[in-house]
Amino acid sequence: MVVCILNRQLMRSSSCCALMVRLQRQSRGCIHSSIHGFHHEEIREKLRAFPGGSVDLLKQDSGIAVLTVNNPARMNAFSGSMMVDLEDRVSQLESWTEGKGLIVQGAAGTFCSGSDLNAVRAISNPEDGMKMCMFMQDALTRLLRLPLISVALVEGRALGGGAELTTACDFRLMTSGSVIQFVHKHMGLVPGWGGAARLVRIVGSQNALKLLGGALKVDSELGLDIGLADGALEADQGADSPRQQAENWLSRYTEGPVPVIRAVKKVVLAGRELPLSEALKTEKEVFGTVWGAPANLQALASKSKHK
C-alpha cells in the first residue's frame, strides 16, 4: 500500500512538472512577442504616460478575489496606467496559490465604459494602437487562463472594451438595468482586446454578428436568452449587495479543496483551447495531480457517495 502511494506521488510530481511548463507557456506572455513587433516594457512605459484611476485587487481568505476597475469619474474607462495595473494584478493572481475564484467588477455601480478617450486620442496612430491592442489581448487572455473560476459582475454599463472585459471571465452576472454593448462599430472600429474571438465562443457566430454588427444593447433578458449572461441578480434579494450575491452565486462552483477547483479550471481550459490530443494529455496530467492526493484520499476514507 505504501509503495503504491509513493509511486502515485512520484508520478504526480513528474506529471506536475510537465503540466506546469505547458500551463506557463499558455499563460505568461501568452500571445505576442518581439517577433510581432511587440516590446513589452516599451508599451508599458508609453501607457503609464496616461494616468488616472486604478485597478484594485482584494484577495480574501475564502479563496475568492475581487478585481475592481476603479475610475468612476470616467465610468471606469481604462486609462493607460490602468491597463498596466490590470496586467500587474493578473500577475499577482497567477502567483496566488490559495485562490479558487475571482469576481471582476466596476466601482460605484457601473462596470466599465472601455478606453479613456484621452489616452486613445494620444495613441491614435496605427502603430501605437496595434501595440495597445496586443498588450490588452495578452492581459485579458492571461486573465481568462487563470486557474480561478471567474465571473464578471455587470452593474450599469459594460461598453466597448468593458464588454470585451466581460468575455475574459468564465461567467457573467447581470444586475437589473445593466447593459452589455459592443459599441465599437459606432467608433469606426471592431473589438481589439480579443473580445470578438471570445464572444464567438460564448454565443456563436450568428449572435456575435448581431451584437457586433448591430451594436445591440444586451440586457439581462437577452443576455440569458443568447448565453452571454449566466445569471440575473435581482435588486430585492434581502440586504445582500450585488457583490455578495455574486459571491454566493460563485460559491456553488468554488466550494471544495483549492487543488480540486483549480484542477477543474485547468482541464476545462485545456479542452477549450488545445487540440484534442493535447487536451487529453493535459487532462491526464491534471488528473495525476489530484489522484491519491489528500482530498481524494479523504473522500475515499469517508466513503463519500455521489449526490
Side-chain angles (χ1 to χ4, degrees):
M1 179 66 179
V2 174
V3 172
C4 290
I5 292 175
L6 287 173
N7 284 338
R8 282 201 297 269
Q9 288 176 339
L10 287 170
M11 290 173 61
R12 206 162 48 237
S13 177
S14 60
S15 296
C16 189
C17 289
L19 172 63
M20 288 307 296
V21 170
R22 184 177 293 112
L23 291 175
Q24 285 171 357
R25 283 202 304 263
Q26 280 183 279
S27 60
R28 298 180 186 274
C30 51
I31 301 176
H32 303 295
S33 68
S34 58
I35 297 174
H36 309 101
F38 178 67
H39 301 283
H40 183 256
E41 287 305 317
E42 175 189 313
I43 187 61
R44 277 176 64 92
E45 287 305 311
K46 189 176 289 288
L47 291 171
R48 281 198 192 99
F50 307 102
S54 62
V55 177
D56 307 322
L57 178 62
L58 172 66
K59 293 186 285 188
Q60 304 179 113
D61 292 340
S62 63
I64 307 299
V66 181
L67 186 75
T68 304
V69 183
N70 189 357
N71 192 9
R74 295 190 177 276
M75 289 181 59
N76 297 328
F78 272 91
S79 66
S81 63
M82 287 172 68
M83 295 179 189
V84 176
D85 278 355
L86 175 66
E87 185 188 56
D88 290 341
R89 303 298 172 260
V90 170
S91 294
Q92 292 172 23
L93 289 167
E94 286 172 338
S95 61
W96 187 39
T97 57
E98 297 82 19
K100 299 190 286 184
L102 175 66
I103 296 171
V104 178
Q105 65 175 14
T110 196
F111 190 73
C112 174
S113 61
S115 302
D116 184 340
L117 293 182
N118 289 334
V120 170
R121 292 188 188 99
I123 56 173
S124 59
N125 67 80
E127 182 181 357
D128 284 344
M130 288 289 285
K131 291 176 181 177
M132 183 269 288
C133 166
M134 289 188 282
F135 183 89
M136 288 300 287
Q137 282 189 1
D138 272 1
L140 293 181
T141 300
R142 288 170 59 191
L143 175 64
L144 184 59
R145 287 175 173 172
L146 288 169
L148 310 172
I149 298 178
S150 59
V151 60
L153 170 57
V154 183
E155 299 179 83
R157 296 183 179 184
L159 306 178
E164 294 191 65
L165 175 59
T166 71
T167 67
C169 296
D170 298 310
F171 299 112
R172 283 146 295 282
L173 296 177
M174 299 183 69
T175 62
S176 178
S178 63
V179 169
I180 300 174
Q181 187 179 12
F182 294 83
V183 296
H184 304 75
K185 185 182 78 168
H186 295 328
M187 301 297 295
L189 295 170
V190 295
W193 296 357
R198 293 188 297 268
L199 183 65
V200 169
R201 286 162 171 76
I202 295 168
V203 303
S205 60
Q206 294 296 99
N207 282 323
L209 275 175
K210 292 175 184 177
L211 298 188
L212 297 180
L216 300 182
K217 293 182 178 180
V218 180
D219 58 15
S220 59
E221 183 178 359
L222 177 57
L224 289 169
D225 185 52
I226 64 176
L228 184 58
D230 298 280
L233 303 181
E234 301 299 331
D236 59 352
Q237 293 191 14
D240 286 346
S241 66
R243 193 183 106 183
Q244 185 58 57
Q245 291 182 53
E247 289 198 37
N248 295 341
W249 186 93
L250 185 59
S251 67
R252 73 189 73 176
Y253 305 112
T254 58
E255 182 180 358
V258 171
V260 176
I261 303 306
R262 292 168 71 91
V264 167
K265 176 62 183 284
K266 288 171 185 175
V267 295
V268 171
L269 176 64
R272 182 171 62 208
E273 296 198 1
L274 299 177
L276 180 59
S277 60
E278 284 294 302
L280 292 172
K281 183 184 299 184
T282 300
E283 184 173 319
K284 176 199 69 175
E285 291 167 353
V286 174
F287 177 80
T289 68
V290 292
W291 175 264
N296 177 230
L297 294 178
Q298 184 177 354
L300 291 172
S302 65
K303 298 180 180 179
S304 177
K305 294 182 178 180
H306 303 303
K307 296 181 180 180

